[in-house]
Amino acid sequence: MSPDSPRSIILDYITYIGVGISMACLVICLIIEAIIWRKINKNPTSYLRHVSIVNIAVSLLIANIWFIIGAAISDADKKNPPACTAATFFIHFFYLALFFWMFASALLLFYRTVSVFDGGLSKISMLIIGFSLGYGAPLIIATITIAATAPSNQYIRENVVCWLNWYESKALLAFVIPALMIVVINFIILIVVLYKILRRRVGGNAAQAGEKHVLYVIARSLAVLTPFFGLTWGLGVGTMVDPKNFGIHVAFAFFNSLQGFFILVFGTLLDKKITDITGKNTEHQCWNIIWWTEQLVPENENGQRILWGVLKEYGVPGLLIQAVKSLYDWCQSLVCIVGNDVVLLSSSGHDLQLLLEQFAAKCEAARMKISASKSETIVLCRKRVAYLLWVGEEVLPQVEKFRYLGVLFTNEGKIKREMDRRIGAASAVMRALC
């Protein structure tokens, strides 16, 4: 970053190895996002968060590619100023896009925090704002910079790695100032958002709780990535202030080269919902959780023994049988297994939460998971009751009707709608026969 960066083989190794690792991590990040893309449309905030992560990864990946191209142009025996200018423009543009997409993510976090209970802007409107900010603002800055400095040949630094000029035109400030300003603004947004999230009372329906979970994920990502990028480019400023300090150059090269790794880990891998989706091909999964408010009595010991034998005879693995058996040992509830579905029934929400936690613990010990994305809860009661059930950090969605094994359950606990449906189906068949 500094125009007086010392030439060192150590710096070269750290930079190029780190950039290679960074690019590999970014490719992995994009592959994971491509795998889960169709399954993140349920929650608009989650969808927009993943749009931001994808564009952050794409921007940094393309910037790294142009960095390598620029380094190759600079190291060539025959200098090519037009090619170096083009490389510098794209490096400048995509590095700025990285920061502006982080800014867009922070603004999304702030907006959804203050309007989490309102309709607000549509998904399309927020996408337009995100892309305008993420790519429009960097394009304007990069274009103005090259238009103002290139005619006087003060845009790039020749005989060094292709990058913005410093001594003659101070063109480098067109990157440093926006980047560090975004870091500071993101810090302020994080403080405000965390304050509001911590003050907001616990409760609400499952959709609101799911929204809050997504906001926590965005806040956690920004809380890690913002100081990391701030530290990285703060070291970059340090290389300009003290260009002869070899230690600052090594630290800057190290952190700058591993940005892709941090995006993969803190932007993608630490999102529990992503690990649940990508781990869907685990040997067994358990889902479809139902809360039944009628008093249920577990089977007697002899009946349980018969049940375990039947499950074993039908090929259910022993680890899964042990997980289900633990439910009978500890809870006054009923468990029903059909295929690879698990139904948990209990007379109270508190008992069902305990049941769910114990079952999840047994499943995890057997290297199995409860798929929160495929699980639902329903309260069968004459009055509408909202109750949140948690699997780890995720809230299971509560529904008003649920079809299971061909039978329609509704939250009123009545069978009129199911009977009307069956009579209608039978009437349709009779009319067809007549």
Side-chain angles (χ1 to χ4, degrees), residues 3-25:
D4 295 320
S5 300
R7 304 294 294 181
S8 169
I9 190 67
I10 296 176
L11 279 177
D12 290 342
Y13 274 121
I14 293 175
T15 299
Y16 288 112
I17 293 175
V19 167
I21 295 174
S22 178
M23 293 175 66
C25 292

Side-chain angles (χ1 to χ4, degrees), residues 194-216:
L194 290 176
Y195 174 75
K196 285 186 170 292
I197 288 178
L198 292 175
R199 283 195 60 191
R200 184 168 290 154
R201 65 181 180 87
V202 179
N205 57 33
Q208 293 169 352
E211 180 87 358
K212 181 178 285 190
H213 169 72
V214 177
L215 296 179
Y216 274 124

Side-chain angles (χ1 to χ4, degrees), residues 372-432:
S373 62
K374 295 185 178 180
S375 302
E376 293 177 334
T377 67
I378 185 170
V379 181
L380 300 186
C381 184
R382 292 181 180 178
K383 296 181 180 180
R384 181 170 297 182
V385 178
Y387 194 89
L388 303 183
L389 290 176
W390 296 77
V391 176
E393 299 179 354
E394 297 183 80
V395 178
L396 301 182
Q398 182 176 327
V399 297
E400 295 184 357
K401 59 182 179 179
F402 183 80
R403 186 177 302 281
Y404 191 70
L405 298 180
V407 178
L408 180 67
F409 296 92
T410 62
N411 59 342
E412 301 97 342
K414 299 179 180 179
I415 62 171
K416 183 178 183 304
R417 292 175 64 181
E418 176 63 16
M419 294 300 298
D420 291 342
R421 184 189 67 82
R422 295 192 181 194
I423 292 172
S427 299
V429 173
M430 293 300 296
R431 285 195 297 270

Side-chain angles (χ1 to χ4, degrees), residues 112-315:
R112 298 303 292 179
T113 301
V114 299
S115 64
V116 69
F117 301 113
D118 301 329
L121 296 173
S122 66
K123 183 192 295 185
I124 297 298
S125 299
M126 286 191 283
L127 280 175
I128 293 173
I129 294 172
F131 277 90
S132 299
L133 184 63
Y135 292 120
L139 181 61
I140 292 172
I141 295 173
T143 302
I144 292 175
T145 304
I146 192 172
T149 58
S152 58
N153 294 322
Q154 295 179 344
Y155 180 63
I156 61 173
R157 297 182 280 117
E158 296 186 19
N159 301 321
V160 197
V161 174
C162 296
W163 190 221
L164 298 171
N165 189 290
W166 172 248
Y167 284 131
E168 290 82 8
S169 63
K170 298 294 188 291
L172 186 58
L173 293 178
F175 171 74
V176 174
I177 292 176
L180 295 185
M181 282 183 63
I182 288 174
V183 170
V184 173
I185 294 172
N186 280 11
F187 264 122
I188 296 173
I189 290 176
L190 273 174
I191 294 172
V192 173
V193 166
L194 290 176
Y195 174 75
K196 285 186 170 292
I197 288 178
L198 292 175
R199 283 195 60 191
R200 184 168 290 154
R201 65 181 180 87
V202 179
N205 57 33
Q208 293 169 352
E211 180 87 358
K212 181 178 285 190
H213 169 72
V214 177
L215 296 179
Y216 274 124
V217 173
I218 299 175
R220 183 179 60 192
S221 300
L222 288 175
V224 174
L225 293 179
T226 297
F228 172 74
F229 285 116
L231 173 63
T232 300
W233 295 103
L235 289 169
V237 174
T239 62
M240 295 189 298
V241 175
D242 189 3
K244 303 299 183 182
N245 191 319
F246 184 73
I248 294 179
H249 284 281
V250 171
F252 173 67
F254 176 76
F255 283 102
N256 186 47
S257 300
L258 295 181
Q259 292 177 105
F261 173 76
F262 277 79
I263 290 174
L264 171 64
V265 173
F266 295 101
T268 302
L269 295 183
L270 289 185
D271 187 345
K272 193 172 184 295
K273 186 162 290 188
I274 290 180
T275 58
D276 285 345
I277 294 174
T278 54
K280 69 177 183 177
N281 292 324
T282 308
E283 184 178 3
H284 299 282
Q285 288 190 353
C286 315
W287 57 81
N288 297 331
I289 299 169
I290 302 177
W291 173 13
W292 192 290
T293 57
E294 297 179 7
Q295 182 65 35
L296 295 169
V297 181
E299 299 286 343
N300 57 42
E301 187 176 348
N302 185 51
Q304 293 178 24
R305 199 178 303 115
I306 294 174
L307 173 61
W308 312 141
V310 170
L311 293 177
K312 186 175 181 181
E313 183 177 347
Y314 276 83

